[in-house]
Structure formats: C-alpha cells, structure tokens
Amino acid sequence: MNLSDSDVALAAATAGAAVVRDMYGTRLDRVDKGGGDFATAADLAAEQAILDVIRRERPADGFLGEENGQIGDATGRQWLVDPLCGTLNYAAGMRVVAVNVGLSGGASAVADPFGGEVYYTDGVTARVRRGDADEVLAPSAANGLVEFNLDAPFPSAPAFRVARVLADTRFIERFRPRVVSSTLAVAWVAAGKRAAYLSDGGDLTASVHFAAGLAVCRDAGCVLTDLDGEPLGPGARGLVAAADAETHAALMELIA
C-alpha cells in the first residue's frame, strides 16, 4: 500500500524518535561541528533511521539533513530533517527534544520522543497523535506562556534582540516567559501549550530546525509572521508564532 506524505512524515519522525529514546542515557560519542556546536551518535543514528524511511517510501525525493547535508536532488520535492533538536539538552540528560521531519511546503511531523506525542499535518489539517488516537490541534493563548529562542546567532542585533522583550514591563504584566531550547516548543504553540514563540533569524521556513513545526502551526491556524510583521519566506527576519491574532498584535507592539 502506498503511504501518503503525512504517513511518511509520521513514520520517519516516529523512527527517529525511537532511536532517540533508545540511546538516551547511554555514553554517546560527540562530533564537533565548530563554534561550540556538536552532534552526538544519537543525532547521527536518528537521522539515518529517518533517511531509511524516506529512501524506502520516496526514493526520488531530495533530503536535507542537519547532520548529513543534502542527499539527492534539491530542485524537486525536498524533505527537511532535524533528527534531534535540543542536542545540548539531550547530552545534559534533559528530555526536552524534538525530531523534525518536513516535506517542504507540505506534510510534516514533529515527534516528542519522551512525551509520546507526534504533532503532524497532511498539508491541510494539523493533528496530534497519541498512541493510536488522533486529535485536531487547537491553539490557545490561555496560559500566557511565551517561548523565546535565546540561542545564537542574533542577526538583528544590536538594533533588536529578542531578549529585550523579556524586560519590558508590558510583557511581564501579560505573559510569562519560557526557554526550553528546542523547536519542540514551536509545535507547542499549535497544541495550546504555548501562547507564542519568538526567534531571531532569517528565512526559518527553509530551516531544518523550524520547517516542520511551522507547517504544523500554519495548518493549526496560528498567526505566523517575521519580526517585522511580514509573511514568512525568503527575506523574512525571524519569527513570531502566536496562537491567535490578539496575542500576535500584543507581541508585535512590544517588538516595535
């Protein structure tokens, strides 16, 4: 039976998540990537497990992985993969990580290896899978929790720094900050676990770290713009992902 793109994304993310769980707590070799960044053996093994699924189900598609780079044709259908987003968390014994698998412009999945959830979209409707049960995602800003990406680089500095929003009394009066250092929190906006997510950067829709989570947010009905309130895509500057228009407007006022 031929799998749909969303089935492939789910299968690939689930395969990567199984590797991440199985290798957790073991002694892991590290691969230095420069600038203080590194990958672990779990990153590499999870990416291979994901690649195996993509190769089996979509052999003609391109594959851009965080660890192995471009494999296959990059001019057609392209899968963007971050096999373990939150490597430093993982290496430090923290279980806040994500496995991101996204078909550019289409179906995507974000697996929480330790939470037992996979957030995914078929390109139209975003859902969460828990075991054998699926539920349509419903964004909500009710908890007032705003996630911040405080990891470098900060291309908008010194004119703008995301961290400055934290010190604004208007932010303190309305919201509460959170920093988990994993793009799992992008999918949490779609799931109602975060009111919003803020990050500096460039075109994050083309990023292996962000593409899958942004697709889930988009199809869940979240409000997505860059830091200037402009649409995401080439030329964009960072990210404001909000559960609703009111929350987005409040954050844009703080950023401005």
Side-chain angles (χ1 to χ4, degrees):
M1 181 178 67
N2 292 328
L3 297 181
S4 67
D5 286 338
S6 60
D7 287 335
V8 174
L10 275 163
T14 300
V19 172
V20 170
R21 281 194 306 274
D22 289 347
M23 297 185 73
Y24 178 76
T26 64
R27 184 169 181 174
L28 298 171
D29 292 333
R30 297 190 182 190
V31 178
D32 183 17
K33 298 165 71 171
D37 193 13
F38 64 91
T40 70
D43 296 70
L44 298 171
E47 184 161 307
Q48 185 61 53
I50 294 166
L51 178 58
D52 288 346
V53 174
I54 302 298
R55 277 177 165 167
R56 182 181 70 240
E57 302 297 339
R58 296 293 189 270
D61 290 358
F63 182 100
L64 178 61
E66 165 72 3
E67 308 308 334
N68 291 299
Q70 183 67 45
I71 298 174
D73 184 9
T75 63
R77 285 166 47 99
Q78 174 92 318
W79 293 87
L80 304 174
V81 173
D82 184 355
L84 205 172
C85 188
T87 298
L88 186 56
N89 288 349
Y90 188 78
M94 296 171 58
R95 301 188 181 197
V96 184
V97 299
V99 177
N100 296 314
V101 178
L103 177 62
S104 182
S108 299
V110 178
D112 178 352
F114 301 104
E117 296 180 321
V118 185
Y119 308 97
Y120 76 99
T121 177
D122 58 6
V124 178
T125 304
R127 298 177 172 87
V128 58
R129 177 164 294 181
R130 302 182 184 93
D132 295 327
D134 285 0
E135 180 182 334
V136 174
L137 290 173
S140 171
N143 61 35
L145 300 179
V146 177
E147 186 74 26
F148 287 82
N149 178 12
L150 299 183
D151 290 332
F154 307 112
S156 300
F160 171 79
R161 287 186 182 274
V162 171
R164 287 180 188 161
V165 177
L166 288 162
D168 194 303
T169 56
R170 294 170 297 171
F171 177 85
I172 296 168
E173 290 168 358
R174 178 165 182 170
F175 300 109
R176 294 291 180 270
R178 290 294 183 271
V179 180
V180 300
S181 296
S182 169
T183 54
L184 177 61
V186 177
W188 284 350
V189 179
K193 297 183 179 184
R194 291 291 187 270
Y197 183 102
L198 269 70
S199 178
D200 199 352
D203 175 15
L204 300 183
T205 63
S207 164
V208 296
H209 308 291
F210 286 89
L214 289 176
V216 171
C217 282
R218 175 197 67 211
D219 294 337
C222 299
V223 180
L224 303 173
T225 70
D226 74 355
L227 295 170
D228 299 311
E230 297 298 323
L232 299 180
R237 186 170 70 101
L239 169 67
V240 181
D244 55 40
E246 182 182 356
T247 301
H248 181 268
L251 291 170
M252 291 307 302
E253 183 178 347
L254 292 171
I255 291 168

